[in-house]
């Protein structure tokens, strides 16, 4: 348990850890490429370490030195590996496609939370490519058997970068052409990295086409994760002024900035630059009076992991906000519609959970109180922001799970976890 005091004013400059999605992909794709690669500013959090552990179990050599990784691509992968994906949805889903593409067998499994998350969403579309993937009643453990893949045309019913990426990773090993279409475009880090590694890939709106390709290793300098920066950006908007340095601003990830625009949050992007196919900027956010917003299905994928935080900002805004089309939140590390609504209500806000989103009646001032993380890193970090911005602060239970994506989170806030 961590006691968190409210603050009247909060300001500072922050360099947040590397992007989780890009780190996973840099490790996985370089493991299957020809050559050796260095990944700088990698996120050394539990989820990305799960990907490293699995790739090592498949035979890749990965050296970790601070936040730098050295990866030696493997021409031949170990068969019959048991791959422990921990808490990481990105690891298990991308790796299912990767393993299917390598024509080897493997068992992929994870912790209790991961074992409750849907896996048929990768197994079914992969079977359209000829993959033999069996789930356990729709969940992990997932079993992949060797098979020869052929390209296919797949239309996804959910906008999920994890599912899309699993298909692309299988597709680059399949004979012929694999075409994947999503209902709304999700994050495109896999597409960008595959292109940088020489893959035959083309994008047209919500459709991505890949053909069989050999990948060349690529060095990656990972930008800071906008999903981690979002907590500090939000404290700036609520309580003072924050500057987050070198944050990835790939447009498929900047939904939080579009939510800021609607809420009336004042922010500026400074030092915009581009490195390794991903754009970055320093993001300066100033305290702002916020107004209620509406978000619908089209808005959701680009801020999927920031939605608990966006809902919290709505609780501090003037008026009634509505968020719809966000049913995917129900199948994250916790049921984030339920856990976010509970978080807001526990500190004196008014949030009504809906089947696919929230109605939030903003109050400008919230009392504070006790919050549980439900062992979900995003809920733990949203809870910390909520208590700092509240009138009286409160207790945050089970905060340690922030190590999944941001091990140093409380330290960066000036709080001591132990
Ligand atoms: C991720 C995609 C998102 C996101 C997750 C990371 C990725 O999941 O919630 O934290 O790296 O591809 P979905 O693709 O299932 O929406």
């Amino acid at each position: 348990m961590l006691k968190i005091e409210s603050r009247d004013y909060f300001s500072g400059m922050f360099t947040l850890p590397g992007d989780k999605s890009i780190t996973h992909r840099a490790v996985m794709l370089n493991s299957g490429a020809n050559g050796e690669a260095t990944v700088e500013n990698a996120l050394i959090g539990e989820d990305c370490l799960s990907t490293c552990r699995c790739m090592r179990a498949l035979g890749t050599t990965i050296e970790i030195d601070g936040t730098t990784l050295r990866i030696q691509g493997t021409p031949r992968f170990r068969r019959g590996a048991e791959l422990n994906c921990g808490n990481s949805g990105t690891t298990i889903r991308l790796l299912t496609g990767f393993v299917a593409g390598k024509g080897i067998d493997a068992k992929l499994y994870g912790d209790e939370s991961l074992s409750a998350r849907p896996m048929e969403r990768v197994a079914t579309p992969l079977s359209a490519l000829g993959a033999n993937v069996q789930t356990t009643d729709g969940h992990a453990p997932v079993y992949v058997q060797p098979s020869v893949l052929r390209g296919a045309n797949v239309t996804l019913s959910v906008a999920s970068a994890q599912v899309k990426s699993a298909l692309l990773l299988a597709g680059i090993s399949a004979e012929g052409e694999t075409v994947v279409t999503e209902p709304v475009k999700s994050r495109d880090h896999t597409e960008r990295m595959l292109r940088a590694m020489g893959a035959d890939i083309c994008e047209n709106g919500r459709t991505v086409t890949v053909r069989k390709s050999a990948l060349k290793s690529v060095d990656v300098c990972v930008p800071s994760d906008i999903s981690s920066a979002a907590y500090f950006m939000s404290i700036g908007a609520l309580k003072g002024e924050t500057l987050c340095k070198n944050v990835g601003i790939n447009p498929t990830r900047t939904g939080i900035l579009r939510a800021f625009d609607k809420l009336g949050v004042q922010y500026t992007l400074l030092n915009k630059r581009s490195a390794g196919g991903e754009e970055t900027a320093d993001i300066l956010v100033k305290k702002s009076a916020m107004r209620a917003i509406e978000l619908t299905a089209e808005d959701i994928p680009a801020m999927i992991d920031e939605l608990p935080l966006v809902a919290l900002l709505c609780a501090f805004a003037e008026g009634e906000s509505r968020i719809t089309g966000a049913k995917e939140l129900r199948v994250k590390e916790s049921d984030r519609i339920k856990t976010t609504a509970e978080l807001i209500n526990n500190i004196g806000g008014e949030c009504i959970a809906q089947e696919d989103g929230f109605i939030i009646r903003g109050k400008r001032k919230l009392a504070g109180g006790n919050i549980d993380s439900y062992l979900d890193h995003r809920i733990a970090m949203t809870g910390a922001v909520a208590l700092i911005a509240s009138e009286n602060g409160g207790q945050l239970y089970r905060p340690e799970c922030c190590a999944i994506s941001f091990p140093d989170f409380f330290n960066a806030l000036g709080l001591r976890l132990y």
Side-chain angles (χ1 to χ4, degrees), residues 20-22 24-25 90 93-94 117 121 159-163 165 186-187 189 304-305 328 332-333 336 378:
K20 179 158 82 72
S21 294
I22 297 177
H24 280 299
R25 287 155 173 83
T90 308
R93 297 206 178 103
L94 267 63
R117 297 179 66 185
R121 54 175 56 198
S160 164
Q162 294 179 353
V163 178
S165 299
S186 64
R187 64 191 68 190
H189 304 299
I304 185 72
D305 292 336
E328 275 297 293
K332 294 295 179 187
E333 286 84 330
R336 288 187 184 155
R378 305 258 174 238

Side-chain angles (χ1 to χ4, degrees), residues 118-259:
M119 295 302 152
E120 209 47 58
R121 54 175 56 198
V122 267
T124 303
L126 280 171
S127 68
L129 275 68
N132 182 347
V133 180
Q134 305 300 325
T135 66
T136 307
D137 286 332
H139 300 98
V142 173
Y143 298 89
V144 182
Q145 292 300 325
S147 54
V148 177
L149 304 190
R150 52 184 187 278
N153 222 313
V154 182
T155 300
L156 302 178
S157 55
V158 283
S160 164
Q162 294 179 353
V163 178
K164 172 179 65 177
S165 299
L167 287 159
L168 298 179
L169 295 188
I172 53 161
S173 299
E175 288 305 330
E177 190 174 270
T178 298
V179 184
V180 186
T181 303
E182 315 183 80
V184 180
K185 192 173 171 67
S186 64
R187 64 191 68 190
D188 65 357
H189 304 299
T190 303
E191 294 88 311
R192 287 174 188 242
M193 205 172 287
L194 282 174
R195 184 167 300 114
M197 297 174 94
D200 184 348
I201 179 166
C202 78
E203 284 170 79
N204 183 9
R206 294 177 286 111
T207 299
V208 190
T209 305
V210 284
R211 289 185 195 82
K212 191 167 183 161
S213 311
L215 303 182
K216 296 190 295 287
S217 297
V218 68
D219 291 338
V220 180
C221 185
V222 182
S224 290
D225 196 326
I226 192 163
S227 298
S228 299
Y231 303 102
F232 293 82
M233 289 154 55
S234 299
I235 301 180
L238 289 162
K239 285 286 156 193
E241 186 170 312
T242 51
L243 177 66
C244 296
K245 303 279 286 176
N246 198 35
V247 181
I249 52 161
N250 175 323
T252 61
R253 296 288 300 283
T254 46
I256 180 82
L257 296 180
R258 293 188 281 283

